[in-house]
Amino acid sequence: MRIINWQSAASASVFESSLTSATTPNEHPDRGRKVVPAVHICVTGLQYRHAVHFVYRSHYEGQLSKRVWRLPDETVLNWFRRGWDCDDPESWVENEVGGDVYGLDSIFEAARKHGLSRPATTSELRELLHEHLYVEGDEDFIRLDDHSLRVRTDDDEVELAYFFLDDEVVATAPDRLAYLFQSWPLPGAGGEVTSFVAEVPVAVVTPAGTGDASTYAVFLTFYDGASLACSQPLVFPGVGLWELAGHLRTADPDSGAAWPPELLVLRALVAPEDDAVGPALERCNRWPGFNLNADPWPNLPNEHGPAHHEAMALIASGRYVDGRRPDASRIEVDDHLAQVAMHCGQSFGYQQWFLFDTVWAAAHPDLAQSLLRYSNHWDPLED
């Protein structure tokens, strides 16, 4: 699939990558893998073909917990109009967007059952969606405008969200949407520029260091069914990623904003001899928790030495549940970006951890801002 790799709001480049539906045959044998060829070019002077892009944010959907699909319609309204009279709404939706989407077929089922007229305008579609689209939540969980539809729901196990986005909104909001279209792995970066300021709220977890760079931490995880924006992005001011291991060893978890469990485990699993966070992330991947409702959840000492000893003992004695397979995880670390797609179980798939400093963020500002926003709120277009 060719995906937009937006470098700034004013310019764009097109790159090719292989993007499969984000499931594996073992996890969803009814779907398997499917590659969707597409061309999406938004550069002045080149051939242009309108499209609507569908993104399903769900922990069931593979290593990055999202499914990305391209639709041949010029507008979101046109996609719903095209399927309005389909004979089998469930099958039609699955064929259109690469698999089941919780509750999405309900609007087409209602159209058949009640003989609803095909909507002619965005306003008419909005009224019909609020009346007939099944979501677990209130009216604000269905957000429609002329260029996008954003929906939040849950299936009684985890929270889910899905988005229909036309070319115009994708082109004008790369700082909000770039991560949605990013495949694994995120690109690396070098250089010395460190100028970057987060546009969403972030939690400062330790006092400022003395360096020019800062490191952000994004944990896309779930707790007791909450899986959308349940952990605010974190920042270590004045600490580059290459310094983070040593910083965590000496940091006091009570010195700033509350530390999430993932960060407590990461700190505890930094060994005394580690110069970088890569080895600690490998150990985190073997931690026996992190599954939905799984034990052990960290109750570790504040002092690093005892915390490390206890955490290593838990790794040695722990037991994996729900078919968790650390060997199915993916971990990549360089000087300015560490990324983990952690397999946490057969039922709920993967969680993602990203640690990046302002050197990386300055090289990929739209991707960095959109990733922070993705962690901060379920709706990437939320002001």
Side-chain angles (χ1 to χ4, degrees):
M1 180 176 183
R2 290 184 183 177
I3 309 169
I4 296 297
N5 181 23
W6 298 106
Q7 303 300 325
S8 70
S11 64
S13 64
V14 178
F15 73 94
E16 288 193 0
S17 67
S18 296
L19 182 64
T20 64
S21 62
T23 59
T24 65
N26 288 336
E27 291 168 334
H28 291 288
D30 56 320
R31 279 184 227 158
R33 293 186 182 270
K34 183 177 181 181
V35 177
V36 184
V39 177
H40 183 181
I41 300 177
C42 293
V43 182
T44 303
L46 297 181
Q47 183 178 0
Y48 181 86
R49 187 168 69 189
H50 289 284
V52 169
H53 309 273
F54 175 80
V55 181
Y56 191 26
R57 180 174 179 176
S58 163
H59 278 284
Y60 304 120
E61 295 294 329
Q63 291 172 343
L64 287 182
S65 300
K66 54 189 172 79
R67 185 198 315 160
V68 181
W69 223 249
R70 182 186 183 280
L71 304 168
D73 308 272
E74 292 193 8
T75 66
V76 177
L77 173 63
N78 283 356
W79 184 80
F80 281 92
R81 285 175 53 82
R82 182 162 59 85
W84 202 252
D85 295 326
C86 61
D87 293 328
D88 184 348
E90 182 178 0
S91 295
W92 188 82
V93 167
E94 289 187 1
N95 289 333
E96 283 287 306
V97 298
D100 179 58
V101 176
Y102 189 76
L104 179 55
D105 62 337
S106 61
I107 183 66
F108 302 108
E109 293 284 4
R112 287 174 52 82
K113 180 178 179 180
H114 302 294
L116 302 176
S117 297
R118 181 184 280 108
T121 66
T122 298
S123 295
E124 290 180 6
L125 177 59
R126 182 183 298 108
E127 183 176 344
L128 288 164
L129 290 172
H130 282 301
E131 181 70 22
H132 299 288
L133 181 66
Y134 179 77
V135 297
E136 293 279 351
D138 58 30
E139 185 175 275
D140 189 49
F141 283 16
I142 301 174
R143 301 179 174 187
L144 176 69
D145 57 40
D146 287 338
H147 302 287
S148 68
L149 170 65
R150 294 99 65 204
V151 176
R152 174 178 177 172
T153 186
D154 74 73
D155 65 354
D156 298 325
E157 297 288 349
V158 292
E159 294 172 323
L160 311 163
Y162 55 89
F163 315 110
F164 290 84
L165 306 159
D166 72 10
D167 278 341
E168 183 170 337
V169 72
V170 170
T172 57
D175 59 329
R176 295 171 177 267
L177 301 175
Y179 176 70
L180 274 68
F181 299 100
Q182 177 65 50
S183 56
W184 177 275
L186 276 62
E192 298 179 357
V193 177
T194 60
S195 177
F196 176 84
V197 178
E199 296 175 351
V200 299
V202 296
V204 179
V205 288
T206 59
T210 59
D212 294 330
S214 296
T215 294
Y216 293 90
V218 171
F219 298 107
L220 301 177
T221 183
F222 41 68
Y223 307 117
D224 295 325
S227 55
L228 297 177
C230 57
S231 181
Q232 190 178 44
L234 313 174
V235 64
F236 298 87
V239 180
L241 182 62
W242 66 94
E243 304 169 299
L244 187 60
H247 182 75
L248 287 173
R249 271 194 300 268
T250 60
D252 179 0
D254 294 330
S255 64
W259 288 32
E262 294 82 5
L263 185 56
L264 290 171
V265 171
L266 175 60
R267 172 183 178 266
L269 290 175
V270 174
E273 68 276 10
D274 287 345
D275 294 326
V277 296
L281 291 173
E282 295 284 353
R283 298 181 195 111
C284 287
N285 185 46
R286 303 199 307 274
W287 179 264
F290 295 136
N291 197 355
L292 188 66
N293 303 321
D295 291 324
W297 213 229
N299 185 18
L300 299 167
N302 271 11
E303 188 177 347
H304 179 263
H308 180 68
H309 178 78
E310 186 172 324
M312 293 300 293
L314 283 168
I315 288 179
S317 63
R319 181 176 60 88
Y320 300 130
V321 298
D322 190 35
R324 182 177 175 192
R325 294 184 296 117
D327 62 311
S329 301
R330 299 184 69 177
I331 301 173
E332 296 204 13
V333 181
D334 63 27
D335 288 342
H336 304 291
L337 170 67
Q339 47 193 320
V340 180
M342 183 185 295
H343 186 268
C344 292
Q346 182 76 15
S347 301
F348 300 105
Y350 289 78
Q351 300 180 17
Q352 299 79 34
W353 297 10
F354 298 100
L355 305 170
F356 61 88
D357 62 28
T358 46
V359 175
W360 182 85
H364 304 282
D366 291 332
L367 184 54
Q369 296 287 6
S370 64
L371 178 56
L372 292 170
R373 192 175 296 275
Y374 193 86
S375 176
N376 196 66
H377 199 277
W378 73 268
D379 181 358
L381 301 181
E382 168 79 3
D383 290 328

